[in-house]
Amino acid sequence: MCGLTGFWSEHPADNHGDRAAIVGRMANTLHHRGPDDAGVWVDDASGIALGHRRLAILDLSPAGHQPMLSACGRYVLAFNGEIYNHLALRARLEQGGAAPAWRGHADTETLLACFAAWGIVETLRASVGMFAIALWDRQQKLLTLARDRIGEKPLYYGRHGTTLLFGSELKALKAHPAFLHDIDRAALTLFLRHNYIPAPHSIYRGIAKLMPGHYLNIPLSNNTAALPRSEPYWQFNEIVAAGLADPFAGSESEAVDALEKQLMQSIGAQMLADVPLGAFLSGGIDSSTIVALMQAQSHQPVRTFTIGFNEENYNEALHASTVAQHLGTQHTELYVRPEDALAVIPKLPSIYCEPFSDSSQIPTFLVSQLARQQVTVALSGDAGDELFGGYNRYLLACHIWKMLDPLPLPVRRAAAAILRGLPPAFWNALFGVARPVLPRRLRLTAAADKVRKLAEVLALPDGEAFYRQLVGHDNNPASVVIGGTEPPTLLTERASWPCTDTFEHWMMALDAQTYLPDDILVKVDRAAMACSLETRVPMLDHRVVELAWRLPLSMKVRQGEGKWILRQVLYRHVPKQLVDRPKMGFGVPIDTWLRGPLRTWAEALLDESRLRREGFFNPAPIRQKWQEHLSGKHNWQYYLWNVLMFQAWLETIP
């Protein structure tokens, strides 16, 4: 895992000084992504400069230094990520007589040889891994940017003035003298809706995120005003369509066998490292499956890590401990005090570079910090929900909508008014008292939040609007952002929607292309990289994704419970009673913190005169929700956390 950056400028006057010095400063902002080595490569005649920071994982010797020149001398590569099948790619090159005399065993060298032998698209399609790359073709004066299939690794790019900028994080681009700190109010509007800024947008005008599964060829022989469009080399919607058209033909037992075999292969490949390796373990289905299959092919105890909270509704440490004990892992847990979590908050704007407000960013950073004390690589159970139907919206929410849809609209509106009229404390208390007699799927944590969401969706016209309401934090953000307009996204562009067989599958396919890459993977990448920890996500091996979409919905969602087939794999290694419990999530009690230890901090950021002076937000709705939250009338933690994370980030701009 590493960090890359670079720029191109046609005229010497445009680069504000020495190219090597500038790109070196840009790369040094990514020290946390690569503390082990630094490198720059400059071609003044062509105007290109590449910078790199290295976190050494494979081949710790100087043979892995980047930017790396290909053996043929044509290509220069700055690479962030891991290619898990790079040894197989080397063998293929050798069998075809196209292998160079290898200088080391780094996957960067393998990629360069593949680019030289097969070209860009074939190499990307042959690679199994997570990556962001900047490849300079010295012969054609062509810069290629590319990103892995699902979007595990980030890559920003754009033109400010006549300078082309690119890098793993915005902080690297901002270190260039040509960078313009012009906030994009349309992106800010999207942020308030989603709590993240969806690709291809970024918080700054003129800077975009490269879409997952895409590559971008930029000819730099002349300075054109507009950048070309990126092209896909792998498309999620095509995988969905192909999987549904060619369903798994075997029995349920054979399907479980196939999934276990593929996961074992993917996890085994991702356990390859020349540095200490471990895994996050929450004790839930996803992380327990990853750890169980790691331990099944390890000759020594796998190192596992979890953090605990004293607040019962947020604590998974006890469950993780029982799973670790059963599997025989070398387990480390840390119970976090409120002051430990609160101390992370001032670091968040720097860690995330642009506004980001999934509050589980806090425990994610803390567990990454814990793991980094012992290991350099940690495997994660992320993506199980999106691939195998784990979220409540695929279960309870979908069931509710199917019951609500036939009801007349006036009846639903009246029911919504009743639900909204009762305070959050009532719903939390009611579900708390009734919990022992409720079915498992109705034993909700944060019940009041879910009741409020139910009230909001009762009057919606169709299932698609219902889904957008469920995944949104503010359903009229343009009324809050001054001068803000909401651009189209995958969630609003019907022509870009996946073609699926069920409403549940439709939601899963959209989540996998929006919430997963732009929230979950951003959260984990930035939090872990801030600790110089590489994270790997075995369920995002594209072969696992492709198999998942060949499986029918009945093997994912069954009898009101998600991830059926993943559970069957896990039950072969861990007793059912150790992991079979309601989904908890990975959060912190932001709602109570805002009324308690964070109140003074939040009040300063939400001050009405400050909001008016800064000129981004209409203060009235924000102040109203702040007062309602403080009084306990409503729980507006997610809405307020969005605003607060932007305000805290805004303070970091020069």
Side-chain angles (χ1 to χ4, degrees):
M1 191 72 64
C2 306
L4 68 88
T5 190
F7 69 94
W8 174 83
S9 183
E10 182 179 21
H11 304 293
D14 292 337
N15 35 300
H16 304 271
D18 179 73
R19 282 189 174 88
I22 292 173
V23 80
R25 290 194 295 270
M26 294 170 71
N28 285 340
T29 66
L30 304 175
H31 179 272
H32 53 288
R33 299 187 77 94
D36 297 330
D37 189 22
V40 301
W41 189 91
V42 174
D43 183 346
D44 279 316
S46 299
I48 189 78
L50 299 176
H52 190 265
R53 293 292 319 198
R54 184 185 183 203
L55 179 64
I57 302 294
L58 292 175
D59 193 343
L60 310 186
S61 76
H65 178 79
Q66 295 188 53
M68 186 181 290
L69 185 67
S70 65
C72 64
R74 176 175 174 177
Y75 298 100
V76 185
L77 177 62
F79 164 59
N80 167 29
E82 298 291 344
I83 304 300
Y84 304 122
N85 68 331
H86 90 97
L87 295 179
L89 295 178
R90 287 195 173 200
R92 179 178 160 187
L93 286 168
E94 290 163 357
Q95 290 168 3
W102 301 113
R103 293 164 285 179
H105 63 273
D107 51 356
T108 309
E109 186 182 6
T110 307
L111 271 182
L112 275 167
C114 291
F115 285 131
W118 306 331
I120 292 168
V121 174
E122 184 177 347
T123 297
L124 295 175
R125 289 175 176 166
S127 298
V128 178
M130 56 177 183
F131 52 83
I133 69 167
L135 179 72
W136 173 240
D137 183 336
R138 302 172 72 191
Q139 178 177 308
Q140 294 190 4
K141 307 299 181 186
L142 181 73
L143 176 68
T144 298
L145 306 178
R147 195 174 176 204
D148 63 67
R149 291 171 175 85
I150 309 295
E152 289 185 65
K153 294 295 101 188
L155 188 54
Y156 293 85
Y157 70 96
R159 191 188 296 274
H160 276 184
T162 58
T163 302
L164 172 69
L165 304 166
F166 53 91
S168 298
E169 296 184 21
L170 283 172
K171 56 173 62 76
L173 279 64
K174 292 167 69 173
H176 193 286
F179 188 87
L180 304 174
H181 296 79
D182 189 4
I183 293 175
D184 186 340
R185 291 175 186 253
L188 177 55
T189 307
L190 288 173
F191 169 68
L192 288 193
R193 180 178 291 276
H194 298 290
N195 84 252
Y196 57 82
I197 298 174
H201 303 279
S202 88
I203 192 60
Y204 290 113
R205 290 183 184 274
I207 301 298
K209 303 183 185 90
L210 187 62
M211 294 292 288
H214 279 61
Y215 70 98
L216 176 63
N217 284 331
I218 309 173
L220 297 181
S221 56
N222 56 66
N223 187 5
T224 57
L227 292 173
R229 292 174 61 90
S230 65
E231 299 289 338
Y233 64 89
W234 190 88
Q235 293 181 280
F236 198 94
N237 282 353
E238 290 184 355
I239 300 306
V240 170
L244 295 176
D246 180 29
F248 187 85
S251 66
E252 289 185 345
S253 177
E254 290 170 332
V256 176
D257 290 342
L259 179 58
E260 182 177 31
K261 180 180 179 180
Q262 182 58 65
L263 285 173
M264 285 283 274
Q265 291 177 351
S266 300
I267 290 167
Q270 296 195 23
M271 291 173 68
L272 180 65
D274 294 334
V275 292
L277 175 143
F280 299 144
L281 178 62
S282 70
I285 301 299
D286 304 336
S287 66
S288 297
T289 301
I290 297 301
V291 171
L293 299 184
M294 289 176 71
Q295 193 60 71
Q297 49 192 319
S298 176
H299 299 298
Q300 56 189 359
V302 172
R303 290 185 249 200
T304 54
F305 305 90
T306 190
I307 59 171
F309 292 91
N310 291 317
E311 294 89 344
E312 182 180 354
N313 287 341
Y314 296 90
N315 185 33
E316 294 187 309
L318 293 176
H319 305 293
S321 179
T322 58
V323 172
Q325 186 175 5
H326 174 81
L327 293 173
T329 71
Q330 181 181 324
H331 190 58
T332 302
E333 68 178 21
L334 173 68
Y335 270 78
V336 177
R337 302 167 300 171
E339 53 266 36
D340 297 326
L342 293 172
V344 176
I345 293 174
K347 303 175 184 178
L348 295 176
S350 174
I351 291 173
Y352 287 89
C353 286
E354 64 180 342
F356 181 81
S357 59
D358 181 338
S359 60
S360 61
Q361 61 201 137
I362 298 172
T364 302
F365 174 81
L366 290 169
V367 75
S368 298
Q369 192 175 56
L370 175 67
R372 188 60 177 93
Q373 296 173 14
Q374 298 184 37
V375 301
T376 310
V377 177
L379 272 61
S380 160
D382 289 315
D385 290 304
E386 292 84 358
L387 293 179
F388 301 105
Y391 290 132
N392 284 331
R393 53 181 167 267
Y394 313 144
L395 310 169
L396 180 61
C398 189
H399 178 67
I400 288 173
W401 177 254
K402 288 177 179 178
M403 291 191 299
L404 295 176
D405 191 29
L407 295 176
L409 188 58
V411 173
R412 286 192 270 134
R413 284 177 173 167
I418 294 172
L419 294 177
R420 285 194 296 262
L422 295 168
F426 169 82
W427 293 112
N428 287 331
L430 177 63
F431 276 84
V433 170
R435 184 180 180 87
V437 298
L438 289 173
R440 187 199 317 271
R441 66 180 182 274
L442 293 178
R443 296 174 189 172
L444 305 177
T445 58
D449 291 340
K450 294 176 174 63
V451 170
R452 178 178 62 81
K453 285 213 174 224
L454 172 60
E456 291 172 350
V457 304
L458 279 170
L460 295 174
D462 54 40
E464 289 82 3
F466 167 73
Y467 168 76
R468 290 196 299 271
Q469 184 90 8
L470 284 177
V471 299
H473 285 212
D474 183 342
N475 289 293
N476 190 17
S479 68
V480 181
V481 179
I482 298 172
T485 57
E486 194 169 357
T489 66
L490 178 60
L491 295 183
T492 60
E493 292 204 300
R494 185 177 293 269
S496 300
W497 287 351
C499 295
T500 59
D501 55 343
T502 65
F503 184 38
E504 292 91 338
H505 264 158
W506 180 82
M507 290 191 288
M508 291 165 61
L510 279 180
D511 277 344
Q513 297 177 79
T514 56
Y515 180 65
L516 176 62
D518 291 326
D519 185 315
I520 301 298
L521 298 181
V522 168
K523 174 186 66 181
V524 174
D525 174 81
R526 306 304 193 278
M529 283 281 87
C531 304
S532 301
L533 176 74
E534 172 173 300
T535 49
R536 300 176 176 179
V537 187
M539 290 191 202
L540 289 184
D541 183 317
H542 68 277
R543 297 164 300 183
V544 176
V545 175
E546 291 165 2
L547 174 59
W549 278 101
R550 295 185 62 215
L551 302 174
L553 184 65
S554 62
M555 290 190 190
K556 301 163 189 171
V557 177
R558 182 174 297 190
Q559 297 178 339
E561 193 169 64
K563 297 188 277 200
W564 178 85
I565 191 168
L566 201 59
R567 292 173 188 270
Q568 308 317 303
V569 172
L570 178 58
Y571 296 158
R572 294 178 174 183
H573 301 268
V574 177
K576 182 176 181 180
Q577 63 270 21
L578 294 188
V579 292
D580 209 19
R581 66 181 193 279
K583 185 176 179 62
M584 181 176 291
F586 194 38
V588 289
I590 292 293
D591 55 339
T592 57
W593 286 357
L594 289 175
R595 298 186 187 101
L598 290 180
R599 180 169 178 169
T600 301
W601 169 79
E603 183 63 66
L605 291 174
L606 302 179
D607 177 74
E608 183 170 353
S609 61
R610 176 176 183 162
L611 293 174
R612 292 192 186 282
R613 182 175 66 254
E614 291 168 343
F616 289 101
F617 294 132
N618 173 12
I622 296 172
R623 293 298 304 178
Q624 179 182 346
K625 288 180 171 61
W626 176 232
Q627 294 305 320
E628 289 176 351
H629 186 85
L630 290 177
S631 69
K633 183 178 180 181
H634 290 289
N635 181 2
W636 293 112
Q637 62 172 329
Y638 300 119
Y639 178 99
L640 293 169
W641 195 245
N642 287 350
V643 177
L644 288 165
M645 284 294 96
F646 174 77
Q647 290 293 98
W649 172 84
L650 189 62
E651 287 188 324
T652 68
I653 297 178

